[in-house]
Amino acid sequence: MSEQPMTGSEIAIRALVDQGVDVIFGYPGGAVLPIYDALFKQNSVRHILVREEGGAVHMAEGYARSTGKVGVVLVTSGPGATNIVTGLTDAFMDSIPLVCLTGQVPTHLIGNDAFQEADTTGITRPCTKHNYLVKKIEDLERVMHEAFYVARSGRPGPVLVDLPKDILMALHTYSGQAIKVQHKRYQPRLDADPDAIDRAVDLIANARRPLFYCGGGVINSGPKASELLRRLVQMTGYPITLTLMGLGAYPASDRQFLGMVGMHGTYESNLAMHGCDVLINVGARFDDRVTGRLAAFSPNSKRIHVDIDSSSINKNVPVEVPLVGDATHVLEALIARWKAKKLSPDRKAIAAWWTQIDQWRARDCLRYAGSDSIIKPQYAIQRLYEHVKDRDVYITTEVGQHQMWAAQFFKFEEPNRWMTSGGLGTMGYGLPAAIGVQIAHPKALVIDIAGEASILMNIQEMSTAIQHRLPVKVFIINNQWMGMVRQWQELLHGGRYSESYTAALPDFVKLAEAFGGVGLRATKPGDVDGVIAEMIAVDKPVIADIQVDQTENCFPMIPSGAAHNEMLLGPDDEAKRPISEEGMVLV
Amino acid sequence: MEQVERHTISVLVDNEAGVLARVIGLFSGRGYNIESLTVAEVDKANALSRITVVTVGTPMIIEQIKAQLERLVPVHRVVDLSQDGPHVERELALVKVAGVGDRRVESLRIADIFRARAIDSTNDSFVFEISGSTDKLNAFIRLMEPLGLVDVSRTGVVAIARGSKAL
């Protein structure tokens, strides 16, 4: 118990310190000046000054996803708060734990259309897990700790705390007790129903064509969940596929891993999903990018669904055995029950299933036509992977074709190494996310695999990287088009490329230099290895402009409105399978 | 398509700023229907409010609505009264009828049959208070239409489970 009264600003910072926060991402402004003044007078919390508030949220996301800790953001009222809405929505969709502190006009001015006033809690209510407006200084300590508890408990997500300026300047004591108090109501369930565990293991043991389908929930549950998943998958000998958000939850080099599932997933994953008789979903949510046409999704399977959020269960796809709980706890229980019952898989049936899967694998669905004269985007990412795979490497991406190629061609052996905007698909995510990762892992190699269109959405954060000496690498797969938009226009809109060509791109080499970084360029396949080697060797922020084939499309692809067994495997398939009217209205 | 059902759901929430906006925003943001919604504080000591919401949807949607409500941090309990056994539902309406002569007499006679009470009267108008099921209120209001119905204010449904158990 600290007897000395402190200001609200000091209480907020003290709560951060007590929560183990050592770095926050932010941008000052009128309403948060008292906190910035308090930050100035202390050395426990490091502040990373960003260039636009939107960048701060993605940095906090990168920090959180690569460490498993809560990311923290501090911005001012009004435009500071509205600029973080995209990032909050992104974190909400991808279940990333964040605490965002926003300044607010003084309580007596709220509702008066004061300068830089916005209804921040109103605006962010649908895109946060929870939010608070602190109107009494007595509540501040409790709310700060509650915010961290809510952000990281259960299904993680962003929590916003709106702090009026008069509260930041008011005086109150800091008890030090609030951190220990359990939330009076919000107590997410960690252990699944034992009867359901029992039914699940029986179903798993009796499967003839099983498939594990796992997602970001495994990663959010912590590294132990990935270890347990590996144990369970290897005990059974069953195949496993991962969602975009789940990459790294199971080692990509393992034979039992079929690659990513979904719209740009592998042929073998998607056909296994279509043909399986038991589907074991751990921490994935049957997203539309995974299921394709729901009516035709995995038509003959019984489904087990492990999720800490009961609202994810039976939302899109009905399941036979729901297991509401934390992935670590549930996987532990499944393994224990499997052992206790001395279960074993049906070896003959599983061998036949693998024979089938190996036939699908033999199609080599990621194959592409190579070239000696022009850089294929897939080739650039493959070379990047070969250069960095034995290093301590973290990958972020922007959104679009390059993101899907990165997911297909970069192999992740561990969780928390892959940061991408999955649910919301936020262009401009990758560079700030990479900066957040680099802050958390100063010695690691952090690469943003980018597109030339996405990178321009948050390019200003290069300046942040320079200021804080963060040697992030931006690897631009530059095809001069909004590649995924162009691909859809080619497939769905008769090749009418409406506004998807960027006619006036900057010179990325000069741009890097203008910021104070290093710019590199590759224009032919022979340049790629040299550029990558130099990019890695330079101890500064680098933009590598890899000028690739402008017409390459991302395959395999399940067109929207199609089923898993209706994949397009390559350009030759496009003409043969026109996209349905129903498919066109989907996103 | 699955059959659409009407469910009455009771939600016990912390009585804090924004809680109603959270619940309503959930329904509008996810495209669920609200037929009626009532809210008032029911436990001052613990600062708890009770929301009664009547909604329609397929069984899968109703399950989703309950799961989504349970996800909200200030929500304590979600009980589907329509599913969990017998319950009683009541709604209250204030119905203003303007008229003179026979129509005025007739409105009083029908009010008597429906056990509605006149709680305000002028020489050419009544305000009736009526409570009961939604259907009963609908029937009463329909009968008042030709007799000079000018205004209606309704509370929406409140509901509670039968028997000795609490929410």
Side-chain angles (χ1 to χ4, degrees):
Chain A
M1 173 86 187
S2 158
E3 295 297 333
Q4 287 296 320
M6 302 158 76
T7 64
S9 298
E10 288 164 344
I11 290 172
I13 291 171
R14 177 67 184 277
L16 294 179
V17 173
D18 286 356
Q19 285 289 341
V21 174
D22 46 22
V23 61
I24 64 177
F25 303 90
Y27 201 101
V32 282
L33 281 175
I35 301 196
Y36 275 85
D37 199 41
L39 274 172
F40 191 80
K41 297 176 191 157
Q42 56 84 51
N43 285 314
S44 307
V45 178
R46 181 179 174 202
H47 179 271
I48 303 298
L49 177 65
V50 305
R51 294 300 177 268
E52 198 259 6
E53 291 89 348
V57 202
H58 296 319
M59 286 179 207
E61 286 187 274
Y63 180 89
R65 273 180 67 72
S66 67
T67 59
K69 295 200 275 187
V70 177
V72 182
V73 172
L74 169 60
V75 298
T76 194
S77 64
T82 55
N83 274 345
I84 68 170
V85 168
T86 301
L88 290 172
T89 313
D90 192 272
F92 193 44
M93 288 282 264
D94 286 346
S95 310
I96 313 293
L98 299 182
V99 168
C100 297
L101 308 179
T102 51
Q104 183 55 278
V105 300
T107 46
H108 68 273
L109 284 180
I110 289 177
N112 276 329
D113 300 324
F115 177 65
Q116 293 198 326
E117 180 184 0
D119 176 9
T120 303
T121 47
I123 290 168
T124 60
R125 201 171 283 128
C127 61
T128 52
K129 185 173 171 186
H130 196 52
N131 63 19
Y132 301 86
L133 169 61
V134 181
K135 283 179 148 172
K136 294 201 295 263
I137 182 71
E138 306 88 78
D139 294 339
L140 180 59
E141 181 185 347
R142 174 185 58 80
V143 166
M144 286 293 298
H145 291 295
E146 223 177 86
F148 277 86
Y149 172 81
V150 171
R152 68 172 166 252
S153 305
R155 180 175 178 177
V159 177
L160 182 140
V161 183
D162 204 21
L163 299 166
K165 193 168 183 182
D166 55 330
I167 300 295
L168 292 175
M169 301 176 79
L171 292 173
H172 200 263
T173 52
Y174 182 87
S175 75
Q177 299 304 307
I179 192 168
K180 299 177 213 148
V181 176
Q182 288 271 347
H183 195 279
K184 61 183 179 209
R185 194 213 60 81
Y186 184 66
Q187 304 280 353
R189 176 176 172 179
L190 300 176
D191 291 298
D193 169 22
D195 291 342
I197 294 279
D198 212 53
R199 278 186 289 139
V201 292
D202 286 342
L203 202 55
I204 295 170
N206 291 319
R208 301 177 60 78
R209 298 185 311 281
L211 179 68
F212 281 95
Y213 149 54
C214 305
V218 177
I219 292 170
N220 275 335
S221 177
K224 194 172 173 202
S226 295
E227 278 170 42
L228 291 164
L229 177 65
R230 189 182 310 199
R231 203 180 311 160
L232 179 63
V233 170
Q234 291 176 353
M235 267 166 58
T236 57
Y238 294 174
I240 174 169
T241 183
L242 296 171
T243 66
L244 180 70
M245 297 305 294
L247 296 178
Y250 190 87
S253 58
D254 190 85
R255 209 192 88 82
Q256 281 168 254
F257 179 57
L258 305 187
M260 185 172 72
V261 70
M263 186 172 270
H264 293 289
T266 62
Y267 186 65
E268 50 271 32
S269 279
N270 286 329
L271 286 192
M273 192 77 118
H274 191 79
C276 66
D277 71 341
V278 173
L279 186 61
I280 308 136
N281 171 348
V282 186
R285 58 184 177 89
F286 294 107
D287 172 76
D288 59 77
R289 281 295 181 276
V290 162
T291 61
R293 176 153 40 96
L294 272 177
F297 173 72
S298 192
N300 301 310
S301 64
K302 288 196 159 42
R303 295 127 190 177
I304 298 164
H305 188 177
V306 181
D307 205 303
I308 197 157
D309 177 5
S310 66
S311 73
S312 283
I313 288 171
N314 289 328
K315 182 173 67 179
N316 303 327
V317 171
V319 299
E320 274 71 21
V321 186
L323 295 169
V324 179
D326 178 71
T328 305
H329 288 242
V330 177
L331 286 166
E332 226 159 25
L334 288 171
I335 292 170
R337 200 76 199 111
W338 177 278
K339 285 184 175 158
K341 292 181 95 169
K342 297 193 169 58
L343 294 170
S344 61
D346 179 343
R347 304 215 179 274
K348 213 170 135 203
I350 300 306
W353 179 226
W354 273 112
T355 306
Q356 169 69 73
I357 289 170
D358 287 338
Q359 282 171 13
W360 291 328
R361 240 183 198 164
R363 289 290 295 265
D364 191 13
C365 67
L366 297 180
R367 192 184 49 222
Y368 59 93
S371 166
D372 294 333
S373 56
I374 192 159
I375 303 172
K376 289 286 179 175
Q378 300 97 321
Y379 172 78
I381 293 172
Q382 275 180 316
R383 292 311 304 158
L384 179 68
Y385 173 67
E386 290 302 325
H387 277 268
V388 304
K389 64 182 181 185
D390 297 324
R391 291 171 175 268
D392 181 19
V393 65
Y394 293 81
I395 300 293
T396 71
T397 74
E398 310 286 336
V399 170
Q401 284 184 323
H402 67 274
Q403 178 190 27
M404 293 298 113
W405 282 316
Q408 291 172 339
F409 289 93
F410 210 99
K411 300 193 183 340
F412 295 93
E413 304 296 312
E414 296 171 46
N416 305 101
R417 296 280 172 164
W418 162 248
M419 276 45 65
T420 196
S421 170
L424 195 64
T426 308
M427 292 169 73
Y429 168 89
L431 173 57
I435 291 172
V437 174
Q438 190 83 73
I439 291 282
H441 309 276
K443 300 246 182 297
L445 176 61
V446 184
I447 305 170
D448 170 26
I449 299 179
E452 83 292 335
S454 283
I455 192 66
L456 289 177
M457 286 211 182
N458 268 325
I459 191 71
Q460 76 286 349
E461 300 307 331
M462 273 299 283
S463 179
T464 306
I466 298 289
Q467 181 185 342
H468 299 280
R469 296 165 199 270
L470 303 167
V472 294
K473 319 295 183 192
V474 180
F475 191 74
I476 302 179
I477 302 294
N478 181 354
N479 62 3
Q480 301 186 34
W481 289 83
M482 292 156 213
M484 196 58 94
V485 172
R486 197 218 55 219
Q487 177 166 344
W488 279 53
Q489 287 173 335
E490 185 177 311
L491 261 57
L492 280 92
H493 296 276
R496 291 178 296 281
Y497 299 121
S498 179
E499 301 294 327
S500 53
Y501 182 72
T502 314
L505 285 170
D507 177 332
F508 285 104
V509 172
K510 283 189 187 156
L511 188 61
E513 287 163 0
F515 278 112
V518 172
L520 303 169
R521 178 170 292 133
T523 56
K524 50 187 192 300
D527 300 342
V528 173
D529 281 339
V531 164
I532 294 171
E534 196 178 342
M535 177 181 90
I536 298 166
V538 173
D539 190 27
K540 269 186 163 189
V542 177
I543 296 180
D545 179 19
I546 313 296
Q547 301 196 339
V548 300
D549 187 347
Q550 294 194 12
T551 59
E552 191 72 16
N553 282 339
C554 190
F555 292 107
M557 178 178 184
I558 303 176
S560 48
H564 284 170
N565 57 348
E566 300 164 350
M567 294 190 87
L568 304 179
L569 277 173
D572 300 340
D573 270 2
E574 276 181 46
K576 283 184 243 157
R577 305 228 186 107
I579 288 172
S580 66
E581 288 280 321
E582 299 84 64
M584 277 195 55
V585 300
L586 302 172
V587 286
Chain B
M1 274 309 278
E2 279 182 292
Q3 197 65 39
V4 169
E5 299 171 356
R6 179 178 183 273
H7 280 241
T8 304
I9 297 170
S10 274
V11 191
L12 200 62
V13 300
D14 285 324
N15 182 17
E16 62 180 30
V19 67
L20 188 60
R22 259 176 238 288
V23 170
I24 291 171
L26 186 131
F27 277 79
S28 64
R30 291 184 183 270
Y32 305 143
N33 295 299
I34 297 179
E35 287 218 332
S36 91
L37 184 140
T38 66
V39 58
E41 190 173 62
V42 291
D43 180 347
K44 192 145 189 85
N46 294 304
L48 295 175
S49 289
R50 181 167 173 147
I51 296 173
T52 307
V53 57
V54 180
T55 183
V56 291
T58 62
M60 205 159 155
I61 293 287
I62 300 284
E63 283 308 307
Q64 261 299 299
I65 289 173
K66 289 186 278 184
Q68 292 290 353
L69 283 169
E70 277 170 354
R71 242 178 118 185
L72 299 177
V73 171
V75 168
H76 286 241
R77 252 171 96 54
V78 177
V79 173
D80 184 347
L81 293 171
S82 303
Q83 183 182 285
D84 288 5
H87 68 284
V88 284
E89 291 187 8
R90 287 290 180 273
E91 193 179 351
L92 186 139
L94 302 178
V95 180
K96 186 178 286 184
V97 181
V100 292
D102 285 353
R103 293 203 307 175
R104 184 171 163 80
V105 178
E106 181 62 9
S107 69
L108 258 187
R109 201 169 9 231
I110 292 172
D112 189 45
I113 294 167
F114 277 78
R115 294 187 202 165
R117 291 196 302 142
I119 56 171
D120 177 67
S121 176
T122 64
N123 285 337
D124 57 358
S125 72
F126 288 119
V127 174
F128 295 113
E129 172 199 314
I130 178 167
S131 71
S133 70
T134 299
D135 285 348
K136 174 180 162 181
L137 267 55
N138 289 344
F140 181 72
I141 291 163
R142 208 163 38 243
L143 287 173
M144 287 298 141
E145 267 168 22
L147 301 177
L149 179 76
V150 289
D151 211 359
V152 180
S153 178
R154 296 172 72 150
T155 58
V157 171
V158 291
I160 203 161
R162 289 185 185 273
S164 57
K165 266 178 67 184
L167 183 72

